[in-house]
Amino acid sequence: MAAFCKGRYRCKRQLFQQILTRGLTGKYDYDLVVIGGGSGGLACSKEAAQFGKKVAVLDYVDPTPKGTKWGLGGTCVNVGCIPKKLMHQSALLGAAVKDARKYGWNIPDPITHDWPTMAEAVQNHVRSLNWGHRVQLQDKKVKYFNLKGSLVDEHTIRGVSKAGKETLLTAANIVIATGGRPKYPVNIPGAVEHCITSDDIFWLRESPGKTLVVGASYVGLECAGFLTGIGLDTTIMVRSIALRGFDQQMANLVTDYMESYGTKFAWKCVPKKVEKLSSGALQVTWEDIGSRREEQDTFDTVLWAVGRAPETKMLNLEKVGVALNKESGKVIVAADEATSVPHIYAIGDIGEGRPELTPTAIKAGKLLARRLFSASRELMNYDSVPTTVFTPLEYGCVGLSEEEAEKRHGKDGIEVYHAFYKPLEFTVAERDASQCYIKVVCLREGDQRILGLHFTGPNAGEVTQGFALGFRCGATYLHLLDTVGIHPTCAEEVTKLHINKRSGLDATVTGC
């Protein structure tokens, strides 16, 4: 205890000396300190270093309740986009192998999947990215600290190591880029003790087996999709609707396809408790909201996908004066990413109203660094950011949903062009294409400016990314018709849309 008190006294004395020195000289240890080594934080720090500034990054990963932890790179690299896309690819390959027989390949039965082989390959790739980020920071002369950061004042950061050792840093500017972590429901017995989240699924060494995914966000649907795709018995429990915030016609197509693909759905159900049986299996009790009837089943794994919480609680933000949204816990930011305290900024998922997407965090971080350390005044444009849900049938979109467009412009103020199409690669394989669909939402008047584009089908991300450029340039329906398609592709069907919903005509594409 005496040693602890002595250490605390030393830290306070160091803090006092640093603040006094800073007040007398106006000098700081760093021009910029970034708290959070995810995509946005790393991009911001490296961009700032390009201008010859002295920059440091603090990054620290608290283990999950199951003990899962990872290296530098944040959610996207370690427990998000990268491992998700790779496991999604594993599932797509399984479907392709089944299709291969129709194309003449002699594939022996049974086709089996080995989780440990996939997991090791994915985890090794992620570790290579962790190392690559450290090398990049070193090459760009950005100092990396494996410390948990928090604010002491508007120019001082306290970093605490795993062993509890404290380090104080001062900075002319501070950027908060700590992202978020999956939520656990606090009112369900057994939820934390026996279950996992997306922070754990990608680092499991053994197959999760029969799995219940609670929540129908894009995270929940993507995880359930690749688990089904590699042959696991998978159920999604949905309280209300799937893909809240997305176009609901498209969301229904995605879940319809998943059901035909083999994923089970427990609609309008809420979990009540999770108990671990002597066999090691998890017994889940839930309630059917409609009938009020309680039901039970056993699973090997239960994965919560019920939202994410910003990593702001341990940062000491409110004590320093940084304003937070009381309901969401996110940092209130201005258009230039500034918080309520001068010299403190926030980027990425923790910013109130910001999309929780890696590319927006990266771009926002770079633009912020340019505004701070060069003559740039360019702000991040968060309107009409494209995205894709990597479910078994992928869903890509950019712009407004049909519901939002109707809300803003009225039902008579929009025109919706649409088509059900069949990818050529589905024909020989005799795969069901009834959920492959394209929808373009336009203003009805004038040159019919495109308000939203939605696509379900193979390689939806690649298709949507291309059209997103035209969308950014103010594309209209006439521009779309003037575009020559690449034949025979799925993306080509977007350029051939000619039937609108208002007509009531069959929108099924026939022929070339």
Side-chain angles (χ1 to χ4, degrees):
M1 178 60 75
F4 175 77
C5 293
K6 191 174 181 181
R8 297 284 291 181
Y9 171 75
R10 241 190 344 257
C11 184
K12 287 182 179 179
R13 186 175 62 187
Q14 181 190 1
L15 173 60
F16 174 76
Q17 289 173 339
Q18 284 183 304
I19 293 175
L20 180 63
T21 301
R22 188 181 75 211
L24 293 173
T25 66
K27 292 184 178 179
Y28 303 94
D29 300 328
Y30 294 92
D31 297 300
L32 174 68
V33 169
V34 178
I35 304 178
S39 302
L42 292 176
C44 184
S45 67
K46 290 185 286 186
E47 190 73 12
Q50 296 283 78
F51 298 107
K53 300 302 176 180
K54 191 175 181 183
V55 183
V57 171
L58 278 68
D59 188 67
Y60 186 90
V61 179
D62 281 313
T64 71
K66 291 296 181 184
T68 307
K69 55 185 178 179
W70 49 86
L72 181 64
T75 297
C76 175
V77 167
N78 295 282
V79 289
C81 318
I82 300 301
K84 175 271 301 288
K85 181 73 181 295
L86 292 173
M87 291 191 178
H88 172 62
Q89 176 64 15
S90 179
L92 292 181
L93 288 171
V97 168
K98 293 173 185 175
D99 288 350
R101 291 193 180 95
K102 296 282 187 179
Y103 281 93
W105 289 93
N106 295 314
I107 309 292
D109 273 328
I111 301 171
T112 59
H113 180 272
D114 184 64
W115 177 281
T117 300
M118 176 191 70
E120 183 180 10
V122 170
Q123 292 161 16
N124 284 343
H125 178 67
V126 169
R127 290 189 186 98
S128 75
L129 296 177
N130 298 149
W131 176 250
H133 282 306
R134 296 187 68 165
V135 170
Q136 284 182 14
L137 291 182
Q138 187 174 358
D139 289 346
K140 294 183 183 297
K141 297 181 172 54
V142 175
K143 181 68 175 175
Y144 163 59
F145 293 96
N146 184 210
L147 302 173
K148 182 185 289 189
S150 61
L151 299 183
V152 177
D153 61 37
E154 68 270 25
H155 290 291
T156 310
I157 304 97
R158 175 186 288 112
V160 181
S161 70
K162 183 180 179 181
K165 182 181 177 182
E166 293 189 353
T167 301
L168 292 175
L169 307 172
T170 61
N173 300 282
I174 298 171
V175 173
I176 311 297
T178 47
R181 298 288 289 268
K183 293 179 183 177
Y184 276 92
V186 295
N187 59 339
I188 298 176
V192 178
E193 302 94 315
H194 306 312
C195 308
I196 66 171
T197 69
S198 58
D199 275 1
D200 301 290
I201 187 71
F202 304 109
W203 292 92
L204 296 179
R205 295 185 180 276
E206 300 297 330
S207 170
K210 181 182 177 182
T211 302
L212 172 66
V213 176
V214 183
S217 64
Y218 73 90
V219 174
L221 296 187
E222 288 176 338
C223 289
F226 70 68
L227 291 175
T228 302
I230 62 175
L232 300 181
D233 184 336
T234 310
T235 301
I236 300 176
M237 187 171 290
V238 190
R239 181 186 62 184
S240 52
I241 61 174
L243 294 178
R244 185 179 301 280
F246 288 84
D247 186 290
Q248 282 304 292
Q249 181 190 9
M250 308 305 292
N252 290 335
L253 291 171
V254 168
T255 54
D256 285 350
Y257 185 89
M258 289 184 71
E259 285 192 286
S260 67
Y261 185 72
T263 305
K264 302 170 187 173
F265 281 82
W267 293 100
K268 307 295 182 184
C269 293
V270 291
K272 306 297 287 184
K273 62 181 176 180
V274 181
E275 301 168 288
K276 192 164 189 176
L277 305 179
S278 58
S279 63
L282 301 179
Q283 180 173 275
V284 181
T285 303
W286 68 87
E287 180 183 82
D288 183 299
I289 297 174
S291 66
R292 295 294 180 185
R293 189 174 62 248
E294 280 198 352
E295 299 181 32
Q296 284 184 339
D297 198 358
T298 58
F299 302 88
D300 299 309
T301 301
V302 176
L303 187 154
W304 297 107
V306 291
R308 297 177 66 83
E311 285 281 86
T312 53
K313 288 185 179 179
M314 306 303 291
L315 293 171
N316 205 33
L317 296 178
E318 288 184 291
K319 191 171 181 181
V320 174
V322 175
L324 303 178
N325 180 302
K326 299 295 184 183
E327 187 175 333
S328 68
K330 293 190 174 188
V331 180
I332 297 173
V333 288
D336 62 352
E337 323 302 343
T339 70
S340 56
V341 177
H343 314 293
I344 299 178
Y345 303 85
I347 59 172
D349 295 6
I350 61 165
E352 181 62 36
R354 300 303 192 229
E356 296 183 3
L357 296 169
T358 297
T360 54
I362 291 172
K363 190 169 180 63
K366 289 181 178 180
L367 292 176
L368 173 59
R370 292 170 194 169
R371 290 195 302 273
L372 289 175
F373 303 118
S374 76
S376 175
R377 293 185 179 180
E378 184 182 357
L379 298 175
M380 175 63 191
N381 184 349
Y382 290 100
D383 289 334
S384 303
V385 173
T387 190
T388 291
V389 183
F390 289 98
T391 36
L393 186 69
E394 296 175 5
Y395 165 37
C397 61
V398 59
L400 302 182
S401 65
E402 185 176 351
E403 295 93 340
E404 184 61 28
E406 188 174 310
K407 182 179 176 181
R408 293 190 191 185
H409 302 283
K411 193 166 187 176
D412 290 333
I414 63 173
E415 199 73 86
V416 180
Y417 296 92
H418 67 148
F420 287 93
Y421 70 100
K422 188 162 191 173
L424 182 63
E425 52 268 44
F426 279 26
T427 55
V428 171
E430 298 179 318
R431 288 176 62 177
D432 179 22
S434 56
Q435 285 84 32
C436 291
Y437 180 71
I438 301 163
K439 174 164 65 175
V440 173
V441 183
C442 306
L443 278 175
R444 195 177 181 191
E445 62 182 20
D447 58 3
Q448 295 193 295
R449 179 169 59 87
I450 298 174
L451 303 173
L453 186 149
H454 303 266
F455 176 98
T456 53
N459 305 303
E462 311 297 340
V463 173
T464 308
Q465 183 68 81
F467 285 107
L469 173 60
F471 195 97
R472 180 66 76 184
C473 295
T476 67
Y477 176 62
L478 291 179
H479 287 142
L480 206 60
L481 295 185
D482 283 344
T483 301
V484 177
I486 300 172
H487 189 69
T489 64
C490 296
E492 174 192 22
E493 300 300 335
V494 181
T495 70
K496 294 161 57 180
L497 293 175
H498 64 282
I499 293 175
N500 61 53
K501 280 190 173 184
R502 196 182 306 277
S503 71
L505 298 174
D506 184 4
T508 304
V509 174
T510 56
C512 291

